[in-house]
Amino acid sequence: MARTKEFDQEAILNKAVDLFWYKGYNASSMQDVVDALGLSRSSIYDTFGDKRKLYIAALERYRAQAAGGLIDMVNQSKNTMASLEEIFKMLVHDSFTDKLPKGCFMVNSTVELAPHDEEIDKIVHENMQDIENAFFQLIVKGQESGEISKDKNPRAVARFLFNTISGLRVAAKSGVKKDIYNDIVSVALEGIK
């Protein structure tokens, strides 16, 4: 008779997100995975397959939570500039409250694995496109309300915002000081009006 799984897969995936987000894929040994998840190797293999499949499940979980939350916020926006300020405020908060600087799991995956792994490349590019599209819609709303000049190309501004956020997440991982971070945010917000 097969044993029933006696653990919460969502909680385990959250632990996997934390491990891979901080250490990356290549620096995480299978023993690191076992230790972080608190499961035996056989339970991990039975539930998730191999380390790569667990990584992909963790990356998809992160995408659903992080990008999904950002997209929801953008879609519910009533005021473009206030929403952008709130997004950057949350980004600064998240970047400076972590005990260990992790940057962005998606950006980290883009750099570490996407150039060599088609499945991960597809995930990170779909994520990029989803966020870019959400920003595009937000910029168009801002142009319609008069908050953002109609002289600006909304697709280009959306790409600029995505790239600025990605760069800030890399800077956070490298330990940049908060005043530098705030300068970048200030210039970015002023530049899109």
Side-chain angles (χ1 to χ4, degrees), residues 12-58:
I12 295 298
L13 266 180
N14 288 339
K15 290 179 181 181
V17 166
D18 287 342
L19 171 68
F20 291 130
W21 188 355
Y22 177 65
K23 288 190 82 167
Y25 179 80
N26 291 318
S28 297
S29 69
M30 197 56 205
Q31 189 59 52
D32 291 332
V33 173
V34 167
D35 293 344
L37 274 53
L39 297 175
S40 68
R41 287 175 195 259
S42 62
S43 290
I44 294 168
Y45 290 124
D46 288 346
T47 305
F48 299 103
D50 57 18
K51 182 176 102 170
R52 183 180 170 279
K53 288 178 185 169
L54 173 63
Y55 185 92
I56 289 169

Side-chain angles (χ1 to χ4, degrees), residues 72-138:
D72 287 345
M73 185 176 181
V74 165
N75 289 337
Q76 295 171 16
S77 172
K78 304 268 188 267
N79 180 303
T80 296
M81 291 310 296
S83 294
L84 288 171
E85 288 169 8
E86 185 62 27
I87 288 167
F88 279 106
K89 183 178 173 184
M90 288 182 344
L91 182 69
V92 170
H93 178 268
D94 290 349
S95 297
F96 289 96
T97 56
D98 278 344
K99 291 178 184 169
L100 302 169
K102 299 182 291 196
C104 170
F105 187 20
M106 195 64 66
V107 173
N108 298 349
S109 298
T110 301
V111 173
E112 181 184 16
L113 297 173
H116 317 288
D117 187 309
E118 286 183 25
E119 189 172 2
I120 291 172
D121 183 62
K122 183 176 185 277
I123 293 166
V124 299
H125 278 89
E126 287 172 354
N127 181 73
M128 181 186 323
Q129 196 61 56
D130 290 346
I131 293 172
E132 180 186 309
N133 289 338
F135 279 137
F136 173 79
Q137 294 300 325
L138 185 61

